[in-house]
Amino acid sequence: MAAVGTIRDNQGSANSVETESLARYAVDEHNKKENTLLEFVRVLDDKVQVVSGTMHYLKIEVTDGGKKKVYEAKVWVKPWEHFKQVQEFKLVSDS
């Protein structure tokens, strides 16, 4: 068990249904907010931090007009409250 506040690798989760769902949610929320048409491709990395719930640090590959791009997203989840919120979504690399 990780200490509260420690960011750790969420091993084996990059291809999990839950992680992919969070990544798709982050992309969808970004698209709504910024009026863009990014398309989810895959999760490259997932780290997790125990806070009041969990903070997921996702590295997500998307396509934007046919060009691959990588974004980092922070998604805060409190399952007992049915709460999830994108805290940050930023471009990391543009291929």
Side-chain angles (χ1 to χ4, degrees), residues 2 9 11-12 18 21-22 24 28 30-31 40 42 49 51 65 68 71 77 82 94-95:
D9 285 330
Q11 295 180 347
E18 177 189 8
S21 174
L22 287 175
R24 287 181 183 276
D28 289 345
H30 176 76
N31 283 340
F40 172 81
R42 65 187 171 124
Q49 178 182 27
V51 291
K68 288 187 179 183
Y71 282 84
V77 180
H82 305 287
D94 193 350
S95 300

Side-chain angles (χ1 to χ4, degrees), residues 3 9 17 30 38 44 47 77 81 84:
D9 285 330
V17 173
H30 176 76
L38 301 181
L44 300 172
K47 295 185 186 315
V77 180
E81 291 182 4
K84 65 181 163 186

Side-chain angles (χ1 to χ4, degrees), residues 16-80:
S16 76
V17 173
E18 177 189 8
T19 301
E20 185 175 313
S21 174
L22 287 175
R24 287 181 183 276
Y25 171 77
V27 172
D28 289 345
E29 289 298 302
H30 176 76
N31 283 340
K32 288 178 200 171
K33 182 179 176 186
E34 301 296 327
N35 197 26
T36 58
L37 293 172
L38 301 181
E39 292 181 35
F40 172 81
V41 175
R42 65 187 171 124
V43 176
L44 300 172
D45 191 34
D46 178 23
K47 295 185 186 315
V48 68
Q49 178 182 27
V50 177
V51 291
S52 176
T54 53
M55 185 71 73
H56 290 264
Y57 295 81
L58 304 169
K59 190 174 281 188
I60 306 167
E61 183 179 312
V62 301
T63 57
D64 184 7
K67 295 181 181 174
K68 288 187 179 183
K69 296 184 177 184
V70 176
Y71 282 84
E72 287 182 348
K74 284 173 43 177
V75 182
W76 183 18
V77 180
K78 294 191 268 184
W80 65 94

